[in-house]
Amino acid sequence: MRPDDIPVLGILRQALGYHSDRQRVIAENVANANTPGYVPGDIPQSEFERALSGAETTRRVTLSATEAGHIQGRVNSGGSGAWRSMATPDSETTINGNSVVLEEQMVRSGENRMRFETALGLYQKSLSLIRMAARGPGA
């Protein structure tokens, strides 16, 4: 049994992947703050929610091939972790067409970091609870 087989750990792992990828997109926005015509991107929360809803629905349904003529069902693991970045211009656009506002990107980055750390803390606590339960009495 792998840790990802436990639903809460799988969801937390997806959350960590989402926030990690979102931080990468925010870092790209900051790196291109002076690039003419650059429009910042972001990974909307709905992408993560979509992946979670897919994970919930696909884990409930399982198909099994009981005869040679049956088609084997495909099990979706709940998202590949490949999130789609969308263009999300900030509140201002400069004269050269760049619409990155560093203050807005820093707020997004801080918010994203807090959510990442929360998911990481929950993941670590969950693993330590599993380890404690797996230990024998008096060990």
Side-chain angles (χ1 to χ4, degrees), residues 64-109:
S64 61
T66 56
E67 293 186 25
H70 288 170
I71 298 172
Q72 185 68 24
R74 192 174 130 209
V75 176
N76 187 349
S77 65
S80 62
W83 317 100
R84 287 180 289 182
S85 174
M86 304 174 112
T88 54
D90 287 339
S91 60
E92 298 174 11
T93 303
T94 59
I95 198 161
N96 67 4
N98 185 304
S99 60
V100 176
V101 177
L102 287 175
E103 291 82 5
E104 292 180 24
Q105 296 299 318
M106 293 297 106
V107 168
R108 285 184 193 168
S109 176

Side-chain angles (χ1 to χ4, degrees), residues 9 14 22 24 43 51 68 73 75 80 82 85 90 95 97 117 137:
L9 293 180
Q14 283 187 333
R22 187 169 185 231
R24 181 186 48 77
I43 301 173
V75 176
S80 62
S85 174
D90 287 339
I95 198 161
E117 289 175 356

Side-chain angles (χ1 to χ4, degrees), residues 20-66:
S20 177
D21 288 347
R22 187 169 185 231
Q23 191 67 30
R24 181 186 48 77
V25 171
I26 293 169
E28 287 175 6
N29 294 340
V30 172
N32 288 296
N34 292 324
T35 303
Y38 183 80
V39 177
D42 197 3
I43 301 173
Q45 184 75 18
S46 61
E47 285 288 314
F48 179 63
E49 291 166 357
R50 180 185 53 80
L52 282 183
S53 67
E56 290 174 359
T57 58
T58 56
R59 288 180 191 243
R60 290 185 192 144
V61 178
T62 58
L63 299 175
S64 61
T66 56

